[in-house]
Amino acid sequence: MSRVRLPAVVSHPVRLLPLSFLMLILVGTLLLLIPAATTQSGSAGFVDALFTATSAVTVTGLATVDTSAYWTPAGQGIILFLVQVGGLGIVAISTVLGLFIGGRLGLRTRLVAQTEMHVVNIGEVRPLFRRVAVIMIGFQLAIAALLTIRYREEYFETWADALWHGYFDAVMAFNNAGFSLNADSLTTYAGDGLIILPICLGVFIGAMGFPVLAELFKDWRNPDRWTIHTRLTVWGSIMLLVIGAAAFMALEWSNPATLGALPWHERIISGIEGGVMPRSGGLNSFDWGAVQGETLSMGTVLMFIGGGSASTAGGIKVTTFLLLGFVILAELRGDPEVSIGNRSIGPAVVRTALSIALISVMLVTSTTWLLMLLTDFSFEDVLFEATSAFATAGLSTGITPDLPHSAKLVLAALMFIGRVGTITAASAFVLRRRVTRYHLPEEQPIIG
Amino acid sequence: MSRVRLPAVVSHPVRLLPLSFLMLILVGTLLLLIPAATTQSGSAGFVDALFTATSAVTVTGLATVDTSAYWTPAGQGIILFLVQVGGLGIVAISTVLGLFIGGRLGLRTRLVAQTEMHVVNIGEVRPLFRRVAVIMIGFQLAIAALLTIRYREEYFETWADALWHGYFDAVMAFNNAGFSLNADSLTTYAGDGLIILPICLGVFIGAMGFPVLAELFKDWRNPDRWTIHTRLTVWGSIMLLVIGAAAFMALEWSNPATLGALPWHERIISGIEGGVMPRSGGLNSFDWGAVQGETLSMGTVLMFIGGGSASTAGGIKVTTFLLLGFVILAELRGDPEVSIGNRSIGPAVVRTALSIALISVMLVTSTTWLLMLLTDFSFEDVLFEATSAFATAGLSTGITPDLPHSAKLVLAALMFIGRVGTITAASAFVLRRRVTRYHLPEEQPIIG
Ligand SMILES: [K+]
Ligand SMILES: [K+]
């Protein structure tokens, strides 16, 4: 621990993040309350506008109303804008915080040097923000192009319609936000690999997170030289995708309400979707309310884990999840240090990971409990919904529109906390770099 | 970390524990298979005998058959014997392991000194075992006396019957094992404070654990001088009892299937029972299958937390639970060290606590998942059952007798792992005291 005072830019984003997101949600709510935004007579309901704005800004995708019928194209454009700004904001801010935390991309030493003079050159951060925006929007445009061509070919009469749907869906996919211009999300396209697979690719890449994408761009040929963070995220994401898709197919293969209705090659496409989407995508070509109980619990666990750090995905994050696995491994083996590859992981990081996991469990558990008090839905539906909100995943068994106002507000709060909270918690780690002036005597309570 | 080779007696109990429990379960199964043990023609079913023996040795109390009707008094005596030996074994062995781990009661330094000569004086451990047995059996006899008097007065014609029930129930209460000589557990005595309260007291004291009881005996007048372990266990247990009972009463007060049927002062007695029993007691005077969904999830959480270390209660343990709370607190505050009272808690203890909590979550989750595949019961019933088995709590919504053989075997395995596993995990902490010869370079992956 070095004797470093924190520069304003570090403590700033940490405090600024919740505030700026709150502002954005407020602006979004007001915009959605404009009568032209809704097809209803008068303006939209306040709670629904607030919920939709929160869901969009946190790139979740849970919807209390039918996006295609309740909102006009103007309203849908506002949602698109909120998702775009929210997604960029999350990735950019958490990337900058990540640099301070993890010292990746070689920036850390420079920043520390500046810190000691209590001067930070904001000019060093701006090109990074620009790079984040260019990479993210580039990916979105590429996927939008693929979708537009297929939409024009198969589903829409005009290029204008195809482009609007293609661009909207690409932005949603890459930002891991689950809003759709169709009442039934992707159901019309179920089994169409030229639609489902690009969308899944968008979700998967968006869920990697900017630091990983940036490192892959620079050095994808040499997996041996990747940082631990990139290795954990890449291999962990692939592992979760393969396990999730395989288990989904095994459980749902003969379920007539989901995969069972499709020819076998389309079942594989939907199976891949079933493995990708809970990693925080939120779009669906089949009904999550109709899957087996076992599939629903698996989806709950996948949503809870979520995607990569500094990405548009939520959850406790792949690195946190894998790191905790390595901690358990070290504990069972009796190793004095937690090591991954040939790097050791310090106890402060272990403590942060632990805290994030436990706070998340407590948040989801207490929200589930609250929703049980407020509604009559089944335990598994309510647990799935709460996990989806916390992990900003956006999947639902279909109960969202039927929730009472109180439950909608609880879920909106959880989306906000789930999105802003884990980043803030991770950043608190930075704030701990301070001088310890004394040590208390140690004592070891019996554990277990 | 000192350069200490492990004495045989340390590595022994750790390895010996699973083996000796396995042996005891085998012996118990064989005894229960003797035709005289069962009221059935021929001998008892093998899976039911194995399940009952496992449930008794691990002091759980889950029962696939009606203890009062399926087993003869001889069979019930075998169950009583298995609970008595299992409970004493757990407390004695984990107390000794606890000494090695935590250095309480001043024994540690002596043991470490001997360790360096590779000699351990088993004579030092024997008086401790004797003290455990005396205290535990003393408590059981006191509660047996209270129950016997009331049983004779109100429920049984002969002193012999009253004594048999009184002693059996006292052993079950103090050992936190949920077997009952009545088909409907304590339902006949619902609201009778002279039965329910002594049983709750037995469960509560039994769940404290021997190290705490020993310290309280020596020094109950000076809470300021208690070890952190005793403070955490005592205040944590009282806190969980009060919160559990208050929430139980609030949720069930007007439920006609539980408290609603009783006069108000009896509701309070049943409410206290509702707060105590999930802390691993397993006896019940009302139907846990008839409680509200919110109450059931609260019971699940209380069972998962469980009782004190080196006690007959299961779960992750009160100290582990509270310690994790202090870790989160330190993390949120940005404190470099985790401290409780005026003691600091080292990162190795934090890591052990974390590992126990996470492995436990994984065990319960995967068993719940397996039970969903094997049966058609609802998610919350199956989760409650799996948690009850893992935490050796013994409560059930009533599904145990209707489970298929496969599910019974899965639960038997979980009771065994739940009982033996957390102690072993805690002891692994001891095994980690070894010399680190090199340090890997540190790296900090982004978390959250
Ligand atoms: K999402
Ligand atoms: K029990």
Side-chain angles (χ1 to χ4, degrees):
Chain A
M1 312 234 173
S2 52
R3 198 178 279 265
V4 161
R5 224 124 28 96
L6 283 172
V9 98
V10 180
S11 41
H12 244 190
V14 176
R15 290 191 222 124
L16 207 68
L17 187 71
L19 279 178
S20 53
F21 269 64
L22 220 49
M23 286 300 299
L24 193 56
I25 289 169
L26 269 177
V27 170
T29 307
L30 293 178
L31 286 174
L32 288 174
L33 284 173
I34 296 171
T38 178
T39 57
Q40 308 297 103
S41 66
S43 56
F46 175 73
V47 171
D48 289 324
L50 176 66
F51 189 97
T52 305
T54 309
S55 183
V57 169
T58 60
V59 293
T60 304
L62 285 174
T64 53
V65 294
D66 177 355
T67 310
S68 66
Y70 192 88
W71 306 109
T72 58
Q76 293 158 0
I78 293 167
I79 293 172
L80 185 68
F81 168 78
L82 294 176
V83 166
Q84 188 71 273
V85 174
L88 269 175
I90 287 156
V91 172
I93 294 178
S94 49
T95 297
V96 170
L97 286 173
L99 289 177
F100 282 89
I101 295 167
R104 254 159 311 282
L105 305 180
L107 246 171
R108 185 185 169 194
T109 34
R110 273 182 285 157
L111 286 167
V112 167
Q114 287 166 344
T115 305
E116 294 189 328
M117 301 175 291
H118 301 285
V119 178
V120 162
N121 188 352
I122 193 70
E124 300 222 25
V125 172
R126 209 172 289 148
L128 188 68
F129 275 111
R130 206 175 304 136
R131 202 165 153 201
V132 168
V134 166
I135 289 187
M136 284 187 65
I137 291 171
F139 267 115
Q140 290 170 34
L141 290 179
I143 287 169
L146 288 174
L147 292 179
T148 301
I149 291 168
R150 180 67 181 164
Y151 280 153
R152 175 65 189 83
E153 188 181 77
E154 195 72 30
Y155 302 97
F156 295 100
E157 298 284 308
T158 66
W159 278 103
D161 277 352
L163 183 65
W164 170 232
H165 276 80
Y167 181 66
F168 191 95
D169 289 353
V171 171
M172 291 307 144
F174 194 82
N175 284 289
N176 278 233
F179 289 100
S180 170
L181 293 175
N182 306 326
D184 52 4
S185 193
L186 306 179
T187 310
T188 324
Y189 323 125
D192 184 343
L194 294 175
I195 301 292
I196 302 296
L197 294 183
I199 287 180
C200 285
L201 185 70
V203 169
F204 189 75
I205 294 176
M208 279 287 179
F210 180 77
V212 170
L213 293 181
E215 191 171 351
L216 289 182
F217 263 106
K218 256 199 339 198
D219 206 13
W220 64 272
R221 253 179 280 255
N222 295 298
D224 297 346
R225 290 200 302 211
W226 293 349
T227 54
I228 294 290
H229 177 74
T230 294
R231 274 188 256 171
L232 286 179
T233 308
V234 171
W235 300 125
S237 299
I238 291 173
M239 184 190 79
L240 288 171
L241 166 64
V242 171
I243 293 175
F248 187 88
M249 278 185 241
L251 290 165
E252 296 295 320
W253 194 261
S254 311
N255 180 353
T258 58
L259 301 195
L262 304 170
W264 72 266
H265 58 279
E266 297 189 358
R267 292 185 202 187
I268 292 174
I269 289 166
S270 291
I272 292 173
E273 181 199 321
V276 169
M277 285 305 173
R279 307 284 319 295
S280 170
L283 292 163
N284 57 290
S285 72
F286 52 83
D287 180 6
W288 277 89
V291 301
Q292 312 275 0
E294 294 87 344
T295 313
L296 202 65
S297 6
M298 191 192 67
T300 307
V301 171
L302 285 177
M303 289 196 296
F304 186 78
I305 298 171
S309 302
S311 81
T312 51
I316 62 168
K317 303 291 155 35
V318 176
T319 37
T320 311
F321 175 71
L322 289 181
L323 185 69
L324 294 175
F326 280 98
V327 172
I328 292 176
L329 202 69
E331 184 71 23
L332 293 180
R333 274 195 197 146
D335 293 345
E337 287 193 327
V338 180
S339 59
I340 303 176
N342 52 357
R343 288 283 180 276
S344 109
I345 307 295
V349 178
V350 170
R351 205 179 87 179
T352 306
L354 156 68
S355 302
I356 289 175
L358 290 179
I359 293 175
S360 304
V361 167
M362 287 185 332
L363 275 173
V364 170
T365 311
S366 47
T367 306
T368 303
W369 208 76
L370 213 57
L371 291 181
M372 286 176 78
L373 281 175
L374 296 173
T375 73
D376 286 326
F377 294 109
S378 80
F379 180 54
E380 52 261 59
D381 283 355
V382 157
L383 175 64
F384 191 81
E385 192 84 7
T387 310
S388 179
F390 159 75
T392 67
L395 294 176
S396 172
T397 56
I399 68 174
T400 330
D402 303 324
L403 294 172
H405 279 348
S406 56
K408 289 178 186 173
L409 293 174
V410 167
L411 284 180
L414 188 60
M415 287 190 277
F416 181 73
I417 296 171
R419 172 49 77 192
V420 167
T422 46
I423 300 173
T424 312
S427 321
F429 174 61
V430 174
L431 300 176
R432 207 181 326 118
R433 294 172 188 284
R434 68 183 195 202
V435 191
T436 321
R437 291 208 170 68
Y438 58 94
H439 280 274
L440 294 167
E442 270 200 33
E443 183 166 329
Q444 302 173 338
I446 317 180
I447 298 288
Chain B
M1 312 232 172
S2 53
R3 198 179 279 266
V4 161
R5 216 115 44 86
L6 285 171
V9 98
V10 179
S11 41
H12 244 190
V14 175
R15 290 190 221 125
L16 208 68
L17 187 70
L19 278 178
S20 54
F21 269 63
L22 219 48
M23 286 301 299
L24 194 55
I25 289 170
L26 268 177
V27 170
T29 306
L30 292 178
L31 287 174
L32 288 174
L33 283 172
I34 295 170
T38 179
T39 56
Q40 308 297 103
S41 66
S43 55
F46 175 72
V47 171
D48 289 324
L50 176 66
F51 188 96
T52 305
T54 309
S55 182
V57 170
T58 60
V59 295
T60 304
L62 285 174
T64 53
V65 294
D66 176 355
T67 310
S68 67
Y70 191 89
W71 305 110
T72 58
Q76 292 159 0
I78 294 167
I79 293 172
L80 185 67
F81 168 77
L82 293 177
V83 166
Q84 188 71 272
V85 175
L88 269 175
I90 286 156
V91 172
I93 294 178
S94 50
T95 298
V96 171
L97 286 173
L99 290 178
F100 281 88
I101 295 167
R104 252 158 313 284
L105 305 181
L107 247 171
R108 185 185 169 194
T109 33
R110 272 183 285 156
L111 285 167
V112 168
Q114 286 165 346
T115 305
E116 294 190 325
M117 301 175 291
H118 301 284
V119 179
V120 162
N121 189 354
I122 193 70
E124 300 221 27
V125 172
R126 209 172 289 148
L128 188 68
F129 274 110
R130 206 175 304 135
R131 201 164 154 202
V132 169
V134 167
I135 290 187
M136 284 186 66
I137 291 171
F139 268 115
Q140 290 170 36
L141 289 179
I143 287 170
L146 288 174
L147 292 178
T148 301
I149 291 166
R150 179 68 181 164
Y151 280 153
R152 175 65 190 82
E153 187 180 79
E154 195 72 31
Y155 302 96
F156 295 100
E157 299 284 307
T158 66
W159 278 102
D161 277 352
L163 184 65
W164 171 231
H165 277 80
Y167 182 65
F168 191 95
D169 289 354
V171 171
M172 292 306 145
F174 194 82
N175 285 288
N176 278 230
F179 289 100
S180 169
L181 294 174
N182 306 327
D184 53 3
S185 194
L186 307 179
T187 310
T188 324
Y189 323 126
D192 184 343
L194 294 175
I195 301 292
I196 303 295
L197 294 183
I199 287 180
C200 285
L201 185 70
V203 169
F204 188 75
I205 294 175
M208 279 288 180
F210 179 77
V212 170
L213 293 182
E215 190 170 352
L216 289 183
F217 262 108
K218 259 198 340 200
D219 206 13
W220 65 272
R221 253 178 281 254
N222 295 297
D224 298 345
R225 290 199 304 210
W226 293 348
T227 54
I228 294 290
H229 177 76
T230 294
R231 274 188 256 173
L232 285 179
T233 307
V234 170
W235 299 126
S237 299
I238 291 172
M239 185 191 77
L240 287 171
L241 167 65
V242 171
I243 293 175
F248 187 89
M249 277 184 242
L251 290 164
E252 297 295 319
W253 195 262
S254 311
N255 180 353
T258 59
L259 301 194
L262 304 170
W264 73 267
H265 57 278
E266 297 189 359
R267 291 184 202 187
I268 292 173
I269 289 165
S270 290
I272 292 172
E273 181 199 322
V276 169
M277 285 304 172
R279 307 282 320 294
S280 174
L283 292 162
N284 57 289
S285 73
F286 52 83
D287 181 5
W288 277 89
V291 300
Q292 313 274 1
E294 294 85 345
T295 313
L296 202 65
S297 9
M298 191 193 68
T300 307
V301 171
L302 285 177
M303 290 196 296
F304 186 79
I305 297 170
S309 302
S311 81
T312 51
I316 62 167
K317 304 291 158 30
V318 176
T319 38
T320 311
F321 175 71
L322 289 182
L323 185 67
L324 293 175
F326 280 98
V327 172
I328 291 176
L329 201 68
E331 185 71 22
L332 292 180
R333 274 194 197 148
D335 294 344
E337 287 194 327
V338 180
S339 60
I340 303 177
N342 52 356
R343 288 284 180 275
S344 109
I345 308 294
V349 178
V350 171
R351 205 179 88 178
T352 306
L354 155 68
S355 302
I356 288 175
L358 291 179
I359 293 175
S360 304
V361 168
M362 287 187 329
L363 275 173
V364 171
T365 312
S366 47
T367 305
T368 303
W369 209 77
L370 213 58
L371 292 181
M372 286 176 78
L373 281 176
L374 297 173
T375 73
D376 287 326
F377 294 109
S378 80
F379 180 55
E380 53 261 60
D381 284 355
V382 157
L383 175 65
F384 192 80
E385 192 84 7
T387 310
S388 179
F390 160 75
T392 67
L395 294 176
S396 173
T397 55
I399 67 174
T400 330
D402 302 324
L403 294 172
H405 279 349
S406 54
K408 290 178 186 173
L409 293 174
V410 166
L411 284 179
L414 188 60
M415 288 190 277
F416 180 73
I417 296 171
R419 172 48 75 192
V420 168
T422 45
I423 300 174
T424 312
S427 321
F429 174 61
V430 175
L431 300 177
R432 206 181 326 119
R433 296 173 187 284
R434 69 184 194 199
V435 191
T436 322
R437 291 207 170 68
Y438 59 94
H439 280 274
L440 294 167
E442 271 200 34
E443 183 165 332
Q444 302 175 337
I446 316 179
I447 298 288

